[in-house]
Amino acid sequence: MITTLPGLYLTSVGIVKPAAWLFGWSENVICSSGMLRFINLLFSLGNLYMFYLILCRIHTKVSALRRILCTLTLYLFPTLYFFTFLYYTDPGSTFFVLFTYVMCLYGNHKSAALLGFCALCFRQTNIIWIVFCAGNIIAEKVLESWRTQLKKNDEKPSSKKTSLETLDAVRFLIRYLMSPQNIGTLVLLTWPYIILVMFFIGFIVFNGGIVVGDRSNHEACLHFPQLFYYFAFTMVFSFPVFISVQKIRDFIRSVCRHPLLYGGLACLSLFLIWKFTYVHQYLLADNRHYPFYVWKNIFQRHDLIKYILVPGYLFAAWSFVDALKTKSALWLLMFYVCILFSTVPQKLLEFRYFILPYLIFRLNTSIPSTNKLLLELVLYVAVNMITFYLFLYKTFLWPDNEETQRFMW
């Protein structure tokens, strides 16, 4: 029934076995639930440090206090923080992906690829974020060449944008990628990631697919509404930072200025929901997880509910794009493609699948004011308190199972 590679278990053996030998612990101790969960506590503390390193690298002009506060807030992100205290792959998977990203940002690409291999051993879909790291290098290199081109043409930065947003920049990108010399330069920069991707493709061919173990319940499909669920998820957990009355007004103005664009997006969204909505059997049967209640209490109330939510999805998507407006067009294109591949193939609506896309999003958005960060922190603490209370004290039993069941993400 296990569908991921044994990265978590191998890491656990590598930590607890030497500890057992050093302290003389028995097998009952080293294989206890508490000891195994302690492994994830270590990964969680590692995530705390990775958040800080990434924020320091990306947001160099922000005060140390705001970076520390943002680090603490992301550390307490409810969907990830909850699994710190259970024996799940999420803390370790997140740690190695973030560590890969850190090494990529600091230019140590061989180490990044090695850490990316460790991330793959925790969850196969992490290959998407390894490709993201390679794309990050490519985006920086092309942007650097674009700025160099502007300087050669004696164009001032104030008179010409250098973020690959203009038509001239798009033409430059096409010319850049058509040059064998430039392609060779990009390959030399990203070869550690290329080797890892080729290894992963070999694994898929050898394994007959990306899933190991129970394949019948983990089949890939084109589940486009997962994008809408992800945007809604992102809006809910970041609303203290990015949602305001002014933002709503700006969105309405944008709709009024571009009615055909938003009308077309709405029609496309309705079509994708109509033709590509899938409901996994786990979503309907497993009442331990929160998505079960979201689906039951919102989407199953009426067949039209999923269509009525389209304006909310559009606002969530607009807010998402607006929060990343300082990024270059090439970086955004690469990030959107990664989000597409990390969400759409998943048939099951599972909030854990949104952890890495959300964290990468938040790490690359501008760090908000201290007041907004404190408000976000209060939201996360409150959600964590509620989820832990439900998990610990609101237990229940299934009719055909004597084991205690608990509510969880």
Side-chain angles (χ1 to χ4, degrees), residues 138-139 141-143 145-146 164 166-179 182-183 186 329-331 333:
I138 294 171
K141 183 62 179 177
V142 175
L143 186 58
S145 298
W146 168 246
L164 288 180
T166 64
L167 184 59
D168 289 340
V170 174
R171 292 192 185 118
F172 173 81
L173 174 61
I174 295 172
R175 290 198 305 270
Y176 185 91
L177 294 178
M178 290 183 67
S179 167
N182 292 335
I183 295 295
L186 296 179
L330 183 57
W331 189 96
L333 176 62

Side-chain angles (χ1 to χ4, degrees), residues 153-173:
N153 295 336
D154 294 328
E155 296 177 6
K156 297 180 181 180
S158 58
S159 65
K160 201 82 168 180
K161 288 186 179 180
T162 61
S163 57
L164 288 180
E165 294 176 351
T166 64
L167 184 59
D168 289 340
V170 174
R171 292 192 185 118
F172 173 81
L173 174 61

